[in-house]
């Protein structure tokens, strides 16, 4: 019965879908794509700064994952393995461009549900723009670790899997990234 998952894609655990996709089940892999495509796209968008590039590289990352899936040894969660592929795809693209940009946060910023007064809304918009400007000034390795931790809410262990780092290195790089961001923010306020 476990193998007979619902065809609508709503039932079944992640492990079931991964197991079936590793065996060559395209529908199972389509379900994995459906479950992860928005997060992978959002991450690539913020790393690359281009909607078109992010769309193309999201597709590339999933193609690479499909091709590598039969040989993959699940030492980590599927999500972290997929983000490692996406991250490497982004870094390759950035190296090719030799240019690093950042997508404005306001394009994807979700404000709280209640409608704030215009003054509060202006302050929030100003703060987002200042943060966006500061993030543009960060080195890619600082930006990527902050995005994985603060936006994608990955654990230190998951980030380590994505970036091929041990947990201690993740913590120290994250600390350095936060300090760099604070320093950039302080300089911009002076």
């Amino acid at each position: 019965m476990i193998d007979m998952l619902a065809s609508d894609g709503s039932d079944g655990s992640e492990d079931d879908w991964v197991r079936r996709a590793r065996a060559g089940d395209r529908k199972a892999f389509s379900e994995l794509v459906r479950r992860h495509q928005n997060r992978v796209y959002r991450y690539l968008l913020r790393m690359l700064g281009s909607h078109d590039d992010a769309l193309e590289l999201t597709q590339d990352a999933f193609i690479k994952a499909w091709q590598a899936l039969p040989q993959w040894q699940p030492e980590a969660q599927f999500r972290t393995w997929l983000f490692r592929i996406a991250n490497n795809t982004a870094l390759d693209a950035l190296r090719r461009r030799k240019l690093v940009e950042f997508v404005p946060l306001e394009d994807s910023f979700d404000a709280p549900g209640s409608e704030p007064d215009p003054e509060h809304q202006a302050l929030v918009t100003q703060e987002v723009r200042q943060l966006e400007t500061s993030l543009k000034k960060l080195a890619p390795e600082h930006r990527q670790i902050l995005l994985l931790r603060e936006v994608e809410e990955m654990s230190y262990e998951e980030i380590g899997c994505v970036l091929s780092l041990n947990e201690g290195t993740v913590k120290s790089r994250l600390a350095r990234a936060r300090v760099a961001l604070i320093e950039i923010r302080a300089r911009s306020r002076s």
Side-chain angles (χ1 to χ4, degrees):
M1 264 312 179
I2 293 175
D3 288 335
M4 303 299 290
L5 299 175
S7 61
D8 67 356
S10 62
D11 294 338
S13 72
E14 180 97 340
D15 291 340
D16 293 332
W17 292 111
V18 170
R19 180 183 48 72
R20 290 178 54 201
R22 287 185 71 207
D25 184 336
R26 290 179 183 264
K27 288 183 181 181
F29 188 73
S30 293
E31 175 61 18
L32 292 169
V33 170
R34 187 192 66 74
R35 290 179 179 207
H36 295 282
Q37 67 186 353
N38 290 340
R39 290 183 137 221
V40 169
Y41 168 77
R42 181 178 62 213
Y43 176 74
L44 290 170
L45 178 63
R46 288 184 171 137
M47 283 298 293
L48 298 166
S50 163
H51 293 284
D52 291 339
D53 289 346
L55 281 172
E56 181 179 336
L57 293 182
T58 298
Q59 184 176 12
D60 288 351
F62 280 106
I63 290 170
K64 289 175 184 177
W66 172 251
Q67 292 169 341
L69 195 56
Q71 295 79 34
W72 174 56
Q73 297 300 315
E75 298 148 1
Q77 295 177 11
F78 176 78
R79 176 176 84 129
T80 56
W81 177 71
L82 183 59
F83 266 85
R84 176 183 275 181
I85 293 170
N87 184 64
N88 289 340
T89 303
L91 292 177
D92 288 345
L94 290 172
R95 281 186 211 108
R96 281 192 306 271
R97 287 193 328 197
K98 294 184 181 178
L99 169 65
V100 178
E101 295 179 23
F102 194 80
V103 169
L105 288 176
E106 61 190 86
D107 289 348
S108 61
F109 179 70
D110 293 328
S114 62
E115 291 296 319
D117 61 55
E119 183 178 337
H120 177 73
Q121 199 166 14
L123 288 172
V124 168
T125 300
Q126 180 181 2
E127 184 65 25
V128 167
R129 285 189 179 138
Q130 289 171 350
L131 179 60
E132 169 193 321
T133 300
S134 299
L135 287 168
K136 284 180 183 178
K137 296 176 183 176
L138 282 175
E141 60 271 8
H142 286 160
R143 186 177 324 124
Q144 75 187 155
I145 206 160
L146 282 171
L147 287 172
L148 291 172
R149 180 68 179 168
E150 305 303 335
V151 176
E152 296 305 324
E153 299 176 342
M154 287 188 179
S155 69
Y156 297 126
E157 181 182 1
E158 290 172 320
I159 294 169
C161 289
V162 170
L163 301 178
S164 300
L165 302 171
N166 67 45
E167 207 168 311
T169 303
V170 168
K171 289 178 182 179
S172 65
R173 283 195 185 175
L174 188 57
R176 285 194 302 267
R178 287 174 174 155
V179 167
L181 183 60
I182 289 169
E183 289 173 354
I184 289 169
R185 300 286 313 263
R187 282 192 301 254
S188 69
R189 290 180 178 153
S190 307

